[in-house]
Structure formats: structure tokens, C-alpha cells
RNA sequence: GUCCCCAUCGUCUAGCCAGGUCCAGGACACCGGCCUUUCACGCCGGCGACACGGGUUCAAAUCCCGUUGGGGACGCCA
């Protein structure tokens, strides 16, 4: 159904049209992703458009934050960003055209009058709609007048939604909506359809909160003698309480996840799996997503965004990431811990031992710290629980001797030496390894002790062993 | 209120369109075990769902109707 089978079929062009009244949220990002994937999969294009006609709420800083969130996710666009506020003349022109061909009319009803009629309709059990008072009056422009669409009163407006299937609305349910405000600016519906047509959009992929907007937009487009694009309404994303995802649910802005230590590839993967699937596959690279994504595998029901799943994915991605990739993502997180000057070679050596233990970049930085600073902070609990125990000082001395003899870098030999030492001292491995671990890292948890020694190198190991004796009993 | 949409484990979902291979599969989470010098990783196992009621059919998670529940829309917001 979606494949482009003949040359007359226009090339796929999708659009992502956020209104710059806030940061890019999970839901918007998923919409952007689906539009982007669909366009990329079909070798088409995505255009970026900013629906900023609400000049009170739209801000340039939001434009920048939305685009930077998209950049973080790697969602680029082929055209734009276009600003609706820069296309006002065009919208006015279209309104004039509709006024001229009779598909729109001037309405002099005041907002208060209209609202009163709506309330009355609602009170008597009907749908709150404009009653068409000015529809046949043949009025002209006036102070405070708006322009309304002259919608069909009979029949149905139907469309075949690419994810939900056939949907139809009785035209009686649709009232004559305002297309131009009294200040001369266009309303949302008018601006959207003009843009979708002018920008040659072939597929409108958006949240299913727009389903009921669709018949009106189709009518508007037809009133201009044009054919509407195809529509695909994707299910909404809900919070854990099954309500529309919002700030109440904690981090909803995509960009916050960057600061929380998530890799963009994790986020992309998690977003893709919300409402879309490919059999039992859970992990997808960007390229796989492009290759496999299509609208027919998009589900119809709303999905709850589960942070635990994102965590699991992030863990997986960190674990399988190239050290190089991690090293380019890590500096900001290290800097937050005050670590700006460190030996990159040590970090690179440590990384493979650390990744299995962390599910985000914040944790990774935390785990990396003891290897990157000269005197890692000693956890008081670790000191009292391990270092200040009977035999800890002797173990430290014995290990120092081993290091001088074998060198901390020879993991295999050190392993053997530790076992022999434990046997000679008549203690369990843990009674040697734990004091050494605390001495070397300041903590009770770390990678394997031999790996830790190899990462640090003989010199640092000896220094730390010596230093730890001050803490030992 | 009216209209529209949706309904499989706690969560994301496969299966549904082309009914039997499904006493429903995977992933995350959770629980237990193994591994083990710590913390993890990993591995093995467990718990756990077709919203309800009718119908069609030899046979329904799959098709139809209804009920219930949820969501959305009904702006001179987008």
C-alpha cells in the first residue's frame, strides 16, 4: 500500500510542524521520528515548519531548543525551517480567494455571542457549534469581523487513515470554523492546509489528537480545488498514569534526557518502539530503523512511556558502544564531577571494565572517577568496614610486595599470586581483594581487582596502597 | 453532553487484516538460582494478559454486535 509503484506517484514529503511554545517533548519527538523515518525509508524528504501564529506564546528560544533536541537525536530535515508568521500574506491571499469563490464568508458575531450559543447548545444536549448566523447574510469586512469557512451541511467527509483505517464524519457535525481572526491573522486550520499544499506534503503523520481536525482540513483543501494529502494518525504517548504525558510526569522534554546521561541512540530506539514494532526485535540501529520502518507496522492504541525500558536500552547501548564514542560523550559528565584534566588513555583502558556496571553516562562518570583522579575520595563506610579490619594492613603490604615483584600490569600473574598469597596467609580471597579494592578506588565496589590494578599501573597502585595504610587499623 | 478513536502480561508489544499450528510468543520490570575477590555483566528458571457479554463457526485473541473502561475533539490555541 505504501510502496511507490509508479512514476506518477509523487515523491514522499512529510513535515514536522511543532509550535514553538515549549521544549520538544517525548510525544513530539516520536512524531518527528516517524515522519523522518517514513521520509528516509521512502527516499523522500521531510520539511520543518514552525507553527508560530500564536504570537503570544511562541518564542525563538523554543525554536532553538526544539531544533537542538532534534539535532541531538540526529533528526535532520531537508527543507525549512519555515515560519508561518513569515507567510501571512499568502494566508490572506487564500482567504480572499475563498471569499471570492464563496467557500468563506464574513461573520460579525462577537466572541461572546458565539460562546453563548455554544453554551446553550451544550446545555440542551447538543454539540457546541457555531449556528451559522452570518452564513447567508452576505456581509462584508468590518471592525471585529472574522472570516468563516462555508462548510458543506450534508453528506460525509471520509478518509482512509494509513494507520487507523477508514474514518468518516458526518458533515452535520462540523460547524463553520473561523479561518481568519478579527486581527487579520489566519487560524491554525487555514495555515496548516495552505502550508501542506504549498509545501507539497504527501503524507501528514501526526498524533491522533488530530483525527477530528482532519475532516475540516480536508474540506478546506477541497474548497480550494486541491486534493488532500494522505493522513496517518499515530497513537498518543501517555504517562504511567495513562494520562497525556506532561511535565507532571517528570522529564518530558527530550533534551533533559541528554543531561540525564542517555545516549541519543537509546532514546531513538525507545521512541521508535513506542507504537511501532518489527516482530520480536527490540534493538534497532538508526539504519535498521530506516530500512524497516513503515506505517503498516504502527499500532493503533496509546502507549505508556516507560523509563525502565529506556534504562535497559541505554545500558545495552553503553555496553556495546565503542570506547571512542563513549569518550566523546563523557566529558560533560566528568566535568560535572570536577574532572576536566585526566589521562584519556587511562579512561580508554577503564571503559570496557566499567560499561557493564552502568546504565547511564552519569553513572559511568561516577564509576570512572577513581581511575582519573590522583587521590580518589575514600568512602568512610568502606574504610571502616574493610580497611580498619584485622589483617587489612598486612594484606596491603603483601600486595605491595607482589606489585614490586610482578608489576600491576600482568593480570594473569597477579591472579595466580593472589591465590597463592591467600593460601599462604590462610585467608579467603576476599580478605585480600577487598582491602586492596578500597585502597585503590576508595570504594567497596569496582571491576575485578586485577583489572583495576592493570588500569592504574604499578606506580599508582603502589602509591594508593601506601596512602591507604593511613586509614588502616 | 455530542462526535471520533482505542482495548493481549505491571509496561512496550508479537499474533488479528487472509479463524485452527496460541491452555497466547518476545522484551522491560519483578522474584528465585547459577557464576563470583566486591559491584555488576552473563546464563538458567519463575510470576504474569486475550476488558466483559452475546453472536457467527466444527473451531475465535483473531470476524460481527453490544456493554464497560480509557483517550481525543468540539477555541478569534496549535
Amino acid at each position: 500500500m505504501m510502496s511507490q509503484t509508479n512514476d506518477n506517484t509523487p515523491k514522499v514529503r512529510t513535515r514536522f510542524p511543532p509550535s514553538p511554545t515549549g521544549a520538544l517533548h517525548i510525544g513530539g519527538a516520536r512524531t518527528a521520528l516517524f515522519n523522518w523515518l517514513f521520509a528516509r525509508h521512502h527516499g523522500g524528504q521531510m520539511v520543518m515548519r514552525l507553527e508560530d501564529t500564536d504570537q503570544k506564546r511562541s518564542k525563538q528560544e523554543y525554536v532553538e531548543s526544539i531544533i537542538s533536541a532534534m539535532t541531538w537525536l540526529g533528526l535532520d530535515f531537508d527543507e525549512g525551517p519555515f515560519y508561518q508568521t513569515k507567510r501571512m500574506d499568502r494566508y490572506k491571499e487564500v482567504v480572499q480567494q475563498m471569499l471570492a469563490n464563496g467557500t468563506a464568508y464574513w461573520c460579525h458575531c462577537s466572541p461572546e455571542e458565539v460562546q453563548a450559543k455554544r453554551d446553550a447548545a451544550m446545555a440542551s444536549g447538543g454539540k457546541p457549534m457555531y449556528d451559522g448566523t452570518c452564513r447567508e447574510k452576505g456581509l462584508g469586512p468590518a471592525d471585529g469581523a472574522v472570516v468563516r469557512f462555508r462548510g458543506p451541511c450534508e453528506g460525509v467527509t471520509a478518509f482512509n487513515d494509513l494507520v487507523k483505517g477508514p474514518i468518516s464524519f458526518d458533515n452535520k457535525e462540523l460547524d463553520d470554523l473561523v479561518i481568519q481572526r478579527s486581527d487579520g491573522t489566519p487560524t491554525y486550520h487555514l495555515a496548516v492546509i495552505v502550508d501542506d499544499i504549498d509545501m507539497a506534503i504527501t503524507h501528514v503523520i501526526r498524533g491522533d489528537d488530530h483525527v477530528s481536525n482532519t475532516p475540516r482540513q480536508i474540506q478546506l483543501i477541497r474548497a480550494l480545488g486541491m486534493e488532500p494529502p494522505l493522513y496517518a494518525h499515530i497513537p498518543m504517548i501517555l504517562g504511567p498514569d495513562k494520562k497525556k504525558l506532561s511535565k507532571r510526569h517528570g522529564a518530558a522534554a527530550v533534551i533533559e534526557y541528554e543531561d540525564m546521561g542517555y545516549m541519543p541512540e537509546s532514546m531513538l530506539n525507545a521512541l521508535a518502539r513506542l507504537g511501532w514494532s518489527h516482530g520480536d526485535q527490540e534493538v534497532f540501529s538508526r539504519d535498521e530503523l530506516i530500512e524497516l520502518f513503515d506505517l503498516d507496522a504502527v499500532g493503533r492504541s496509546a502507549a505508556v512511556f516507560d523509563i525502565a525500558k529506556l534504562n535497559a536500552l541505554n545500558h545495552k547501548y553503553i555496553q556495546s558502544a565503542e570506547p571512542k564514542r563513549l569518550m566523546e560523550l563523557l566529558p560533560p559528565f566528568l566535568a560535572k564531577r570536577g574532572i576536566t584534566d585526566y589521562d584519556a588513555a587511562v579512561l580508554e583502558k577503564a571503559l570496557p571494565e566499567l560499561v557493564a556496571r552502568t546504565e547511564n553516562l552519569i553513572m559511568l562518570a561516577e564509576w570512572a572517577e577513581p581511575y582519573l583522579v590522583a587521590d580518589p575520595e575514600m568512602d568512610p563506610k568502606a574504610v571502616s568496614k574493610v580497611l580498619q579490619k584485622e589483617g587489612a594492613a598486612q594484606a596491603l603490604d603483601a600486595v605491595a610486595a607482589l606489585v614490586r615483584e610482578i608489576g600491576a600490569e600482568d593480570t594473569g600473574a597477579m591472579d595466580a599470586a593472589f591465590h597463592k598469597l591467600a593460601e599462604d596467609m590462610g585467608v579467603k580471597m576476599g580478605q585480600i581483594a577487598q582491602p586492596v579494592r578500597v585502597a585503590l578506588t576508595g570504594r567497596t565496589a569496582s571491576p575485578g581487582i586485577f583489572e583495576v590494578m592493570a588500569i592504574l599501573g604499578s606506580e599508582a597502585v603502589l602509591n594508593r596502597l601506601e596512602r591507604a595504610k593511613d586509614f588502616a587499623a
Side-chain angles (χ1 to χ4, degrees):
Chain A
M1 163 172 70
M2 291 320 310
S3 54
Q4 309 299 307
T5 48
N6 65 62
D7 296 332
N8 297 330
T9 310
K11 194 168 189 179
V12 165
R13 278 170 67 86
T14 63
R15 34 66 138 196
F16 179 56
S19 73
T21 53
L24 182 64
H25 284 215
I26 298 285
R30 206 269 311 249
T31 301
L33 174 62
F34 282 15
N35 274 285
W36 184 83
L37 286 174
F38 186 74
R40 290 289 170 268
H41 176 81
H42 290 284
Q45 298 156 331
M46 177 168 92
V47 342
M48 175 78 177
R49 178 168 85 214
L50 289 148
E51 308 206 328
D52 57 349
T53 55
D54 183 344
Q55 305 201 28
K56 285 185 287 290
R57 296 196 301 142
S58 298
K59 293 202 173 107
Q60 183 60 28
E61 60 181 278
Y62 292 133
V63 171
E64 280 147 27
S65 109
I66 288 167
I67 290 177
S68 78
M70 288 175 70
T71 304
W72 179 62
L73 287 171
L75 305 181
D76 54 353
F77 40 87
D78 304 283
E79 283 177 32
F82 297 108
Y83 291 80
Q84 289 188 327
T85 43
K86 291 185 181 156
R87 291 172 43 76
M88 290 301 179
D89 290 347
R90 172 61 181 146
Y91 305 131
K92 278 188 186 137
E93 179 184 16
V94 171
V95 170
Q96 285 311 314
Q97 185 186 335
M98 291 176 69
L99 246 12
N101 75 12
T103 55
Y105 61 91
W106 285 100
C107 168
H108 292 190
C109 297
S110 72
E112 294 74 26
E113 286 174 295
V114 174
Q115 188 55 47
K117 284 169 184 166
R118 261 197 283 271
D119 293 344
M122 187 93 96
S124 64
K127 196 168 185 168
M129 300 199 297
Y130 176 65
D131 65 355
T133 302
C134 300
R135 185 173 165 115
E136 305 303 340
K137 285 188 180 166
L139 298 168
D143 212 35
V146 299
V147 177
R148 285 184 186 273
F149 173 54
R150 189 191 304 276
C153 302
E154 289 170 0
V156 297
T157 300
F159 60 100
N160 186 35
D161 194 280
L162 264 20
V163 347
K164 290 178 186 291
I167 298 177
S168 69
F169 289 80
D170 224 314
N171 289 340
K172 284 195 289 286
E173 298 293 331
L174 279 10
D175 64 355
D176 288 350
L177 78 168
V178 172
I179 57 176
Q180 185 178 86
R181 300 183 186 106
S182 53
D183 66 1
T185 59
T187 58
Y188 164 72
H189 290 287
L190 195 271
V192 164
I193 64 107
V194 171
D195 286 349
D196 285 345
I197 288 169
D198 287 355
M199 295 169 193
I201 301 305
T202 60
H203 296 76
V204 170
I205 303 170
R206 64 202 340 183
D208 69 9
D209 47 339
H210 284 287
V211 168
S212 48
N213 288 332
T214 305
R216 348 194 56 140
Q217 294 180 4
I218 288 174
Q219 290 179 354
L220 249 15
I221 292 169
R222 293 221 171 106
L224 293 171
M226 308 292 289
E227 268 310 299
L230 298 170
Y231 294 91
H233 289 98
I234 62 183
M236 313 223 68
I237 297 178
L238 278 19
D241 57 356
K242 305 250 183 187
K243 302 276 183 212
K244 202 169 178 176
L245 196 64
S246 72
K247 295 115 267 176
R248 293 188 298 105
H249 298 103
V254 166
I255 212 70
E256 288 179 46
Y257 288 87
E258 178 179 16
D259 295 335
M260 289 190 286
Y262 293 95
M263 294 176 68
E265 30 287 68
S266 315
M267 195 63 185
L268 205 71
N269 199 143
L271 254 18
R273 285 287 289 102
L274 276 180
W276 175 81
S277 63
H278 181 71
D280 284 341
Q281 190 171 343
E282 297 286 346
V283 179
F284 299 85
S285 69
R286 174 180 308 264
D287 288 344
E288 273 179 305
L289 251 16
I290 291 172
E291 186 195 331
L292 300 171
F293 183 86
D294 216 335
L295 259 13
D296 52 14
V298 173
R300 290 160 302 269
S301 49
V304 172
F305 178 69
D306 183 13
I307 191 88
K309 196 112 184 185
L310 210 215
N311 288 337
L313 272 171
N314 206 43
H315 176 246
K316 214 165 258 189
Y317 275 97
I318 287 180
Q319 217 175 158
S320 58
E322 296 287 335
K324 231 180 81 186
R325 172 73 174 137
L326 262 8
M327 291 184 65
E328 80 194 26
L329 291 172
L330 223 34
F333 296 93
L334 291 171
K336 275 183 205 144
R337 308 187 67 81
I339 306 169
T340 49
D341 183 27
Y342 57 89
D343 187 341
V346 170
L347 178 57
E348 194 169 1
K349 243 194 291 177
L351 244 17
E353 298 299 331
L354 268 20
V355 289
R357 286 157 235 268
T358 62
E359 66 182 20
N360 60 55
L361 267 15
I362 293 175
M363 289 171 73
L364 224 206
E366 189 182 327
W367 275 83
E369 177 163 337
Y371 310 94
L372 303 179
V373 301
D375 295 302
E377 195 184 327
M378 302 295 280
D379 172 15
K381 274 192 200 152
V383 170
S384 63
K385 253 175 72 178
V386 178
L387 243 30
Q388 291 172 349
K389 276 283 153 61
E390 177 97 34
Q394 294 94 300
L396 259 30
D397 279 334
V399 169
L402 289 181
V403 172
R404 277 184 219 101
E405 188 187 325
I406 319 179
E409 294 77 6
D410 192 339
T411 313
M414 194 53 78
D415 191 338
F418 260 62
H419 279 91
K420 183 166 183 306
L421 182 62
E423 203 175 312
D424 291 348
M425 291 176 71
V427 299
K428 287 186 176 168
M429 268 290 279
Q431 289 177 264
I432 300 172
Q434 279 306 84
V436 173
R437 187 184 321 281
V438 175
L440 263 28
T441 66
R443 308 172 184 184
T444 52
S446 83
I449 195 63
F450 311 122
E451 284 70 32
V452 170
M453 292 170 78
I455 291 165
L456 256 16
S458 297
E459 194 187 330
V461 169
L462 256 10
N463 286 343
R464 292 181 189 203
L465 253 17
E466 186 61 29
R467 183 184 75 133
K469 283 160 73 178
D470 297 342
F471 294 89

